[in-house]
Amino acid sequence: QVQFVESGGGLVQPGGSLRLSCAANGNIFRIYTMGWYRQGPGNQRELVASITNGASTNYADSVKGRFTISRDNVKNMVYLQMNSLKAEDTAVYYCNTQPSRFGVWGRGTQVTVSS
């Protein structure tokens, strides 16, 4: 069964940092490129970062230089280190394969950037 479990969100002041974590099924993790997505208030879900199983990364222009995606192939975990957070980063963050292949999404983790 395909499953994604995100954690690590919270309330942070502008300029602060958070580290998100995602646990994924082992079979999926080993095969596919993984991504972090977000959906802000009134917005469509968007891809912010992706990482191949060979650890090549790609980032949306809006987060480039501030966010870092990484993966642990032993623990089947994907991480998103978010630095220099801005109010516009406020969103629910999800992980999934990239592109999303299975029609399944986790609950996500809420990130709120506010003073």
Side-chain angles (χ1 to χ4, degrees), residues 11-111:
L11 173 64
V12 62
Q13 292 186 343
S17 299
L18 283 174
R19 188 191 192 213
L20 307 184
S21 300
C22 171
N25 297 71
N27 290 336
I28 295 170
F29 194 86
R30 280 188 287 271
I31 295 171
Y32 295 113
T33 295
M34 298 297 297
W36 279 99
Y37 301 76
R38 69 185 181 187
Q39 186 167 15
N43 296 332
Q44 291 189 337
R45 189 174 291 159
E46 62 173 345
L47 176 69
V48 296
S50 63
I51 184 167
T52 69
N53 53 11
S56 295
T57 59
N58 200 14
Y59 298 92
D61 287 343
S62 58
V63 306
K64 201 170 292 183
R66 301 188 297 121
F67 290 11
T68 303
I69 188 171
S70 60
R71 65 194 294 163
D72 185 327
N73 290 335
V74 174
K75 297 181 179 180
N76 297 336
M77 297 288 293
V78 185
Y79 304 100
L80 187 67
Q81 177 67 43
M82 305 186 296
N83 299 328
S84 302
L85 283 161
K86 305 175 181 180
E88 51 263 43
D89 296 318
T90 294
V92 180
Y93 285 72
Y94 305 87
C95 73
N96 211 306
T97 58
Q98 198 282 313
S100 175
R101 300 174 181 271
F102 299 100
V104 174
W105 291 86
R107 293 184 175 183
T109 186
Q110 175 71 47
V111 172

